[in-house]
Amino acid sequence: MKLPRNRLIIAALLGGVALWPAMGQESLLPPGFGDAVPAPAPQPPSNRPAPASSAPTPVSPAPGGPTDLLPPAPEVAAAAEDEEKSDAELAADSEKAAELELPAAARRSIDTVGALNAPWGMGPDAFGGTSGHTLNILMRRTAAPLPSRWASMLLRRALLSRVPTPVRAEPQDWVAERAWMLLRMGEADAARMLVQAVDVDRFNARLLSIAAQTALATADPAGLCPLTAAAGDSGEPIWPMASAICAGLAGEAAVSGAMIDRTRDRGIARGIDALLAEKVVGAGSNGRRAVTIEWTGVEKLTSWRFGLASATNVPIPDELFATVGPQARAWQARAPLLAAANRVGPARTAAALGVFSNAALVDLYGQVAEQTDEAEIADSDAGRLRVAYVGEDAAARMGAIRSLWQGARPGRDRYAAAILTARAAARITPSADLEGDAASLIGAMLSAGLDYQAARWAPVVNAMSSSDADDAWAMLAVGTPRAVVDIGAGRVEDYVGRRDEDGAHKARMLVAALAGLGRLPAAGARNAAEKAGFDLAQQDAWTRAIDSAANRGEPGTVALLIATGMQTRDWRGVPPHYFNHMLAALVRVGLEGEARMIAAEAMTRL
């Protein structure tokens, strides 16, 4: 079964290497600087014994020369010795010098790379004996971001875990594919953590390319500088431009400007791309070029344009973000130079994708509140959020929460509003007077994993009529640590029977979730699935692969296979029998909590 794929193509624009001619320049040093130091005048023989040390005696500098307390290095003797050595001996000397600069004990292993150890990460056997070649292909071909926030957070944890390189994979490629997957998920900082865990001199071409993409996604053009030497003669045009930028950031504005002009003349970069490079150089300590950026005529956003514009606080038109995937908005949400108010919209996208937590989103709104005039804050979302959390009474808090929900746009932004208000919702005391808000409050709490707080609403939901309670009941049926509502076969079939054509997929997903979580007996699950119109027993290569990974106890492989099974723009495209296998596999590898939150998210967003 071939599922639709939502592709992100934010390609690095630049690449290639230019050879620069030596540029003559007039010396700006005082006369005598760098001239040969004259030999000392002969001294009469001394009756004193020679000093024990054989080091040459320091000499006075030449008139006008720099003061130097060290003796001149024996350059001629060293050169003569080198001429007598073979190429192999010289190479060995170079390796020895490199070892002294970074001894073997100080070098980091590339065989086991990751930022998370247990219990925060998965264990070293997260991917077990699965072929690294297979895992790399799966990551490369899996479209991102995922429709599920919780599945994305689970995959981030797997990809960041400190795990050994699997069989049939090169260590550099294993790190590169994990980082590239994280970037496409919107996880720019997580990707940087992986890339920077490998010493640059061990990069291969693939990892070097992903490292450059990571520097741009994190709005850090200076992050390209350690990579330029490793790039060598790669032939990609990004590196001449990166070298020009790095020269500017090092204070060599004149050299940098000449290099940028050279790339423009050779057609390596022109227009907005060269101007953005000049903008970065102008931000350096000796920058002299004043550059105004105009986006007129620019038809698409690239990683180069995003990274350099975000690094210099140049606003990017919204229409250009429409040419790429939502993960670029997640990158923008954490761009350090952008004002807090300008990051709120991107941060809501990042939260819905799983990149931002409830706490991070609330903190950002707090920054906006601090910068908002007190006379205007009451009519702002930041002010409403403040009331939602610390309003004078429950009625004021609930009114502010409703206002934040109603102000959200349909789809991803509405789920972001639920995440934003999750902990405020948890502060609302369950009451029959709030039956109409019960489903929204429960969905908000479960969006941030507040399952125990959500379970407190079970008495209210149980007291409601079945039809009125359906949405809240479905969330509690799959999201709480233990059964707090009736999930008998009769109640499930009643729910399925009340779904119209628009709600049919949600009914199928509920049955699949209850079966995958083990909350329905096998016979009851089959009957409910048949009534809902799908076959729980349907099998194909993907279902067999995830079942096998679960049986082997490989949570990392399971997380990656869940991502491959969610190759769709939203929850409506996830096949219910796939969903059943996803949740069952998570339970089998000890991730029952994550399985419940993914199931609750489906009930919230469908």
Side-chain angles (χ1 to χ4, degrees), residues 466-467 470-471 494-504 506-507:
S466 295
S467 57
D470 273 351
D471 288 339
D494 286 345
Y495 176 89
V496 171
R498 277 193 292 272
R499 298 307 98 189
D500 56 16
E501 185 175 347
D502 291 338
K506 183 174 181 178

Side-chain angles (χ1 to χ4, degrees), residues 326-399:
Q327 52 272 83
R329 286 292 193 183
W331 300 348
Q332 187 186 31
R334 45 82 51 218
L337 287 186
L338 299 185
N342 294 335
R343 291 191 287 122
V344 163
R348 292 172 71 101
T349 300
L353 295 180
V355 179
F356 268 38
S357 66
N358 159 265
L361 193 58
V362 170
D363 285 347
L364 181 60
Y365 273 85
Q367 296 177 38
V368 174
E370 291 176 356
Q371 299 166 8
T372 303
D373 190 279
E374 283 296 328
E376 301 175 356
I377 196 169
D379 293 328
S380 69
D381 279 351
R384 296 183 188 97
L385 185 63
R386 178 185 294 178
V387 175
Y389 277 87
V390 296
E392 293 182 356
D393 52 39
R397 295 198 302 272
M398 194 64 231

Side-chain angles (χ1 to χ4, degrees), residues 30-58:
F33 191 99
D35 293 346
V37 179
Q43 299 292 326
S46 172
N47 293 326
R48 291 184 179 182
S53 172
S54 60
T57 305

Side-chain angles (χ1 to χ4, degrees), residues 18 32 36 50 54 115 178 187 289 305 395 428 489 534 543 549:
S54 60
R178 290 156 66 193
E187 300 280 359
R289 295 190 178 192
R305 294 166 185 172
I428 300 296
F534 76 102
T543 60

Side-chain angles (χ1 to χ4, degrees), residues 221-235:
L224 296 170
C225 299
L227 309 178
T228 54
D233 297 327
S234 69

